[in-house]
């Protein structure tokens, strides 16, 4: 094991100090993208850093709840550049109406994040519309509309325990990880809300991708903790206690994510490229930082992080057999790593072993999931090299066709950048065994089976590989007669291919390009798409419910609002159960 | 009612898809309508007038009639600029790149004012452009410098009414060259009435800040077109969402 590690790096191929970014052929494989974890560049992490560093002041100006906890709450948020209002309505919801799907029409909580302060008139307007969610309308003063449902497993349990003067059992909390889960957070102009461009240009506090949406979920977490305390106190004013702060930090917000996120990734290829490029830049910087050897302090932090991930993965409860197997195998491989770090720490430092060698060994020996855990941990070690990249996560999704490009050049681009698409044999029945469509039910994206389900003629254009293949075939056929012609003349003959050509030409100029997967294959795993995007959001504890949707936890382990003015370590990645003081444990 | 730009874009893309537009076409068409509306050119009203026609015709594009050294003639086949505008401007830009300047005439086309957004978009790749068309007793001229975001839009009184349904696109590496080309083809004798860039920008910023006003009837018409791309929901189709 020891010598394996050392020899893997030293004897295979030399690794230069100035590491290039990993190639698209490696990174853009769907199973790898689906193995990404939260990193320092994830939007929850960058939001929390900003809130703490700028010491945002968040206080409730309205807390109008009845004894059961139903009513209205308004929080005033004073950030660095502006003031905002987070408006929340708490409603009674019969258990049989609690549904996490997009098609639901009632929720326990509904919320809106608004610019400025909210007056009585606006509050009445919001009260009339926010609880309806997609069935209502808001205006451009609103950034985000969201909703949440209680956890059937934890909410009542926690309130009961608090009401009886006890802290809840951390093991019970660990099974779920949250009191409420959000089922949607709409922004970017949906339902009459402010456009992203308005938010980006006018409200610097939220001028990063999904910052306002993440903040809405962070505030839901804050309310959920307050809510449990409040209801317990209402039920048993004489005996109730408040949740311990360490337990509070261990609560996140649950999230259910389904297929709706998948089309977003395919329809925003430049944005996804940008995110991945920054993450890969962070990884390359981390590897370069350790190129001349790893010092003992950094190595010790890496050892602690490894053990923490092992514990984190061991605490994840999921009914998904494959995820359990995967978690167990990653833990096993990380335990090998941990043991090696323990045994060889001194020689690792003295031999000037470096991170590139470890990454190379992991690629040769361990699962993709383990490789990406290690990469995430490496990024975590160098905040001074990584954190500035958070400002580069936004990009305009603007695809441009280059009309004067020769068809020779276009054909060469396709062969070079889309070789993966040309390698797919679309004549095989399985290669087109699925199709994506929008349902009449709230336009919910769904995945159908070709020749079985209705609607193939209305499928969404998400099969990028097939689109490229069709374009390539037409270009080649046209070039037989007009070999010297340009794209402008070609699209006079084939106008329906202008979208494909715009995408090919645009993405060919990006570093990572399109996701390299046939998304209409019978066996496609959309869950990898969801998980990729969720990792950039910063969620943890992936709990797949099928190949089409996944539960996860947001902000678990993150600081509380009351922590904002305290020293901040920014190390809440891979949350683990808190170790409580003896007095709290004995109270139970 | 008011809608956001993103919301309107999403709705328009799906509505054009429902009309049979292909991927590139519906993206371009949505961009043309939105730009026109946000910059004060009543894009939604134009669209409302065009919808009955678009709803009852095939999605025809421009057809190449003649291809000269640096110029080309296209037949718009009585179709909308929403379908043939991109092809026309792209051809003009390709000719300019190859020959230093280009001239494309698109005959027999509708909804010509939508072309402005295509000019703005093409200018971002370094092309200078001018467009000219006549309607009734007015001549319309749009010019834009390479990389500019705001075009100049001018209207001229014509000595007599015309039923001409052509659109001319002039292209080059700089606007002086384009104007030279233009003056060889078109003679305008009246003083222009110019829409200021400031007014366009104010209109845009106001739409972004306050939202875009849309007639509810048109919004519902768009909804009906969007419904064409949706698939009926059944118990079995719910399995395709993870149930």
């Amino acid at each position: 094991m020891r010598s394996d590690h050392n020899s893997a790096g030293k004897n295979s191929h030399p690794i230069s100090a100035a590491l290039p970014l990993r190639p698209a052929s490696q990174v853009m494989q769907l199973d790898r993208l689906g193995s990404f974890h939260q990193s320092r560049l994830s939007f929850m992490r960058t939001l929390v850093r900003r809130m703490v560093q700028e010491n945002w002041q968040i206080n409730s100006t309205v807390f109008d709840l009845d004894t059961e906890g139903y009513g209205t709450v308004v929080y005033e948020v004073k950030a660095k550049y502006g003031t905002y209002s987070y408006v929340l309505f708490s409603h009674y919801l019969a258990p049989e109406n609690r549904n996490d799907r997009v098609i639901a029409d009632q929720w326990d909580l509904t919320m809106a994040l608004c610019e400025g302060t909210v007056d009585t008139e606006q509050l009445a307007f919001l009260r009339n519309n926010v609880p309806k969610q997609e069935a209502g309308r808001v205006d451009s003063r609103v950034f985000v509309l969201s909703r949440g449902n209680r956890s059937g497993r934890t909410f009542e349990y926690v309130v009961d325990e608090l009401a009886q003067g006890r802290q809840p059992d951390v093991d019970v909390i660990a099974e779920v990880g949250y009191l409420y889960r959000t089922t949607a957070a709409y922004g970017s102009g949906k339902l009459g809300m402010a456009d992203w461009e308005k938010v980006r240009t006018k409200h610097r506090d939220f001028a990063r991708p999904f910052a306002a949406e993440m903040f809405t979920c962070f505030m839901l977490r804050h309310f959920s903790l307050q809510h449990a305390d409040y209801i317990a106190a209402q039920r048993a004013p004489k005996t109730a206690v408040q949740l311990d702060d360490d337990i509070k930090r261990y609560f996140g917000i649950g999230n259910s994510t389904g297929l709706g996120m998948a089309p977003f990734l395919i329809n925003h290829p430049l944005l996804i490229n940008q995110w991945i490029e920054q993450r890969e830049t962070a990884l390359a910087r981390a590897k370069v930082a350790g190129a001349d050897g790893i010092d003992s302090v950094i190595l010790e932090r890496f050892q602690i992080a490894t053990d923490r991930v092992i514990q984190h993965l061991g605490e994840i409860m999921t009914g998904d057999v494959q995820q359990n197997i995967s978690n167990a195998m990653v833990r096993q491989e990380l335990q090998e790593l941990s043991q090696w770090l323990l045994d060889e720490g001194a020689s690792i430092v003295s031999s000037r072993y470096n991170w590139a060698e470890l990454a190379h060994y992991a690629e040769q020996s361990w699962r993709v999931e383990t490789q990406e855990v290690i990469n995430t941990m490496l990024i975590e070690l160098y905040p001074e090299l990584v954190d500035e990249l958070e400002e580069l996560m936004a990009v305009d999704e603007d695809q441009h066709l280059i009309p004067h490009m020769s068809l020779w050049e276009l054909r060469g681009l396709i062969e070079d950048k889309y070789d993966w698409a040309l390698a797919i044999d679309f004549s095989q029945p399985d290669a087109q065994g699925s199709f994506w469509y929008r349902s009449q039910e709230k336009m919910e994206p769904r995945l159908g089976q070709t020749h079985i389900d209705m609607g193939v003629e209305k499928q969404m254009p998400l099969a990028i590989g097939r689109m490229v293949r069709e374009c390539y075939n037409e270009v080649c056929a046209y070039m037989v007669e007009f070999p010297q012609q340009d794209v402008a003349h070609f699209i006079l003959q084939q106008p329906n291919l202008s979208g494909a050509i715009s995408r090919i030409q645009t993405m060919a100029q990006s570093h990572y390009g399109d996701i390299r997967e046939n998304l209409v294959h019978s066996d496609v795993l959309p869950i990898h798409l969801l998980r990729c995007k969720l990792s950039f959001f910063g969620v943890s504890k992936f709990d797949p419910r099928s190949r089409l949707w996944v539960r996860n936890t947001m902000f678990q382990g993150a600081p509380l609002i009351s922590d904002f003015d305290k020293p901040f370590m920014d190390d809440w990645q891979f949350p683990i159960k808190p170790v409580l003081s003896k007095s709290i444990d004995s109270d139970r | 009612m008011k809608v956001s730009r993103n919301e309107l874009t999403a709705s328009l893309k799906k509505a054009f898809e429902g009309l049979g537009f292909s991927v590139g076409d519906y993206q371009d068409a949505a961009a043309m309508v939105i730009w026109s509306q946000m910059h004060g050119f009543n894009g939604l009203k134009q669209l409302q007038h065009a919808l009955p026609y678009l709803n009852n015709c095939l999605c025809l594009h421009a057809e190449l009639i003649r291809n000269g050294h640096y110029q080309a003639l296209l037949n718009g086949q009585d179709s909308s600029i929403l379908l043939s505008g991109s092809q026309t401007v792209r051809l003009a830009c390709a000719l300019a790149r190859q020959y230093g300047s280009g001239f494309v005439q698109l005959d027999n086309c509708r909804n010509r004012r939508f072309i402005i957004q295509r000019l703005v978009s093409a200018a971002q790749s370094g092309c200078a452009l001018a467009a000219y068309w006549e309607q009734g007793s007015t001549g319309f001229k749009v010019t834009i410098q390479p990389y500019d975001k705001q075009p100049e839009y001018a209207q001229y009184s014509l000595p007599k009414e015309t039923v001409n349904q052509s659109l001319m696109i002039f292209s080059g590496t700089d606007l002086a060259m384009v104007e030279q080309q233009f003056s060889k083809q078109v003679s305008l004798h009246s003083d222009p009435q110019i829409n200021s860039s400031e007014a366009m920008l104010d209109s845009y910023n106001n739409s972004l800040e306050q939202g875009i006003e849309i007639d509810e009837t048109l919004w519902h018409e768009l909804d009906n077109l969007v419904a064409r791309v949706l698939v009926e929901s059944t118990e079995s189709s719910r399995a395709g969402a993870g149930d």
Side-chain angles (χ1 to χ4, degrees), chain B residues 140-159:
Chain B
F140 298 87
K141 182 183 175 189
V142 184
T143 51
I144 186 161
Q145 298 268 13
Y147 306 109
D148 257 13
K149 298 275 187 191
Q150 300 297 326
E152 184 178 281
Y153 179 87
Q155 299 178 54
Y156 296 83
S157 292
L158 300 176

Side-chain angles (χ1 to χ4, degrees), chain A residues 101 137 140 188-189 191-193 195 197-198 202 259 400 437-438 440-441 446-447 458 489 491 549, chain B residues 2 4-7 17 22 61 67 87 90 121 204 209 228 230-231 233 237-238 240 242-243:
Chain A
R101 288 272 303 282
R137 293 288 301 173
S140 61
S188 296
L191 307 163
M193 282 180 276
D195 270 304
E197 188 180 340
K198 173 181 170 178
K202 191 177 169 191
L259 285 185
H400 275 288
Y437 64 92
R438 307 175 195 91
Q440 279 179 344
E441 235 174 340
R446 292 178 183 174
L447 191 63
K458 297 180 180 179
H489 285 83
I491 57 171
W549 68 287
Chain B
K2 284 197 168 172
S4 75
R5 180 179 63 176
N6 287 4
E7 187 177 26
E17 190 183 350
S22 65
H61 293 82
N67 197 15
Q87 288 173 297
R90 284 164 178 163
S121 175
Y204 175 81
E209 174 66 31
R228 294 183 187 180
L230 306 179
V231 177
S233 181
S237 83
R238 285 186 180 145
D243 257 8

Side-chain angles (χ1 to χ4, degrees), chain A residues 104-169:
Chain A
D105 58 9
Q106 295 176 64
W107 303 270
D108 287 305
L109 304 178
T110 52
M111 303 79 83
L113 177 64
C114 310
E115 67 181 353
T117 52
V118 171
D119 60 20
T120 312
E121 190 183 342
Q122 191 184 359
L123 190 57
F125 169 77
L126 293 169
R127 187 177 287 116
N128 196 33
N129 285 280
V130 171
K132 297 175 187 165
Q133 297 280 295
E134 293 96 328
R137 293 288 301 173
V138 289
D139 58 34
S140 61
R141 292 173 296 180
V142 178
F143 299 165
V144 180
L145 201 61
S146 182
R147 67 278 191 120
N149 283 334
R150 278 181 193 182
S151 163
R153 288 178 286 174
T154 56
F155 193 86
E156 278 304 317
Y157 164 73
V158 169
V159 170
D160 279 348
E161 291 294 297
L162 294 176
Q164 292 178 51
R166 294 193 298 259
Q167 293 296 324
D169 186 341

Side-chain angles (χ1 to χ4, degrees), chain B:
Chain B
M1 66 183 288
K2 284 197 168 172
V3 294
S4 75
R5 180 179 63 176
N6 287 4
E7 187 177 26
L8 185 57
T9 302
S11 177
L12 286 171
K13 281 184 186 173
K14 288 195 275 279
F16 286 125
E17 190 183 350
L19 285 166
F21 285 34
S22 65
V23 180
D25 284 339
Y26 67 64
Q27 288 167 342
D28 291 347
M32 284 186 246
V33 174
I34 299 270
W35 192 97
S36 186
Q37 180 64 27
M38 291 186 79
H39 288 81
F41 290 94
N42 296 318
L44 290 172
K45 207 167 191 176
Q46 290 181 72
L47 175 66
Q48 200 156 19
H49 288 140
L51 275 182
Y53 166 79
L54 291 168
N55 215 352
N56 289 301
C57 72
L58 297 170
C59 290
L60 293 176
H61 293 82
E63 192 180 52
L64 184 63
I65 302 299
R66 204 167 52 241
N67 197 15
H69 198 52
Y70 65 91
Q71 54 187 359
L73 177 64
L74 304 178
N75 177 7
Q77 305 195 79
D78 198 31
S79 185
S80 171
I81 284 296
L82 294 172
L83 278 161
S84 56
S86 294
Q87 288 173 297
T88 308
V89 173
R90 284 164 178 163
L91 181 59
C93 289
L95 292 173
R97 179 59 76 111
Q98 191 173 356
Y99 301 108
S101 66
F103 170 63
V104 180
Q105 181 165 320
L106 173 69
D107 287 344
N108 198 18
C109 61
R110 294 163 175 252
N111 314 130
R112 290 167 289 180
R113 198 154 60 173
F114 280 130
I115 201 66
I116 309 174
Q117 187 274 338
R118 297 317 299 161
L119 302 180
V120 176
S121 175
Q124 305 318 305
S125 59
C127 202
L129 290 142
Y132 180 74
W133 69 96
E134 296 176 346
Q135 186 156 3
S137 56
T138 308
F140 298 87
K141 182 183 175 189
V142 184
T143 51
I144 186 161
Q145 298 268 13
Y147 306 109
D148 257 13
K149 298 275 187 191
Q150 300 297 326
E152 184 178 281
Y153 179 87
Q155 299 178 54
Y156 296 83
S157 292
L158 300 176
K160 58 180 183 180
E161 291 224 351
T162 175
V163 290
N164 182 347
Q165 283 298 118
S166 295
L167 170 71
M168 296 176 183
I169 305 288
F170 303 85
S171 56
T173 49
D174 63 68
L175 199 53
M177 179 190 287
V178 169
E179 290 285 11
Q180 207 176 7
Q181 284 277 333
F182 182 85
S183 58
K184 284 183 193 167
Q185 299 270 353
V186 183
S187 297
L188 294 167
H189 300 293
S190 66
D191 289 335
Q193 182 190 329
I194 294 174
N195 284 32
S196 76
S197 296
E198 291 75 20
M200 289 185 219
L201 201 56
D202 283 351
S203 172
Y204 175 81
N205 287 334
N206 188 52
S207 297
L208 194 66
E209 174 66 31
Q210 304 291 334
I212 299 168
E213 186 68 37
I214 183 169
D215 179 77
E216 285 200 38
T217 314
L218 176 58
W219 188 243
H220 291 308
E221 275 184 65
L222 294 178
D223 275 349
N224 290 336
L225 293 173
V226 169
R228 294 183 187 180
V229 303
L230 306 179
V231 177
E232 185 186 346
S233 181
T234 62
E235 278 308 310
S236 79
S237 83
R238 285 186 180 145
D243 257 8

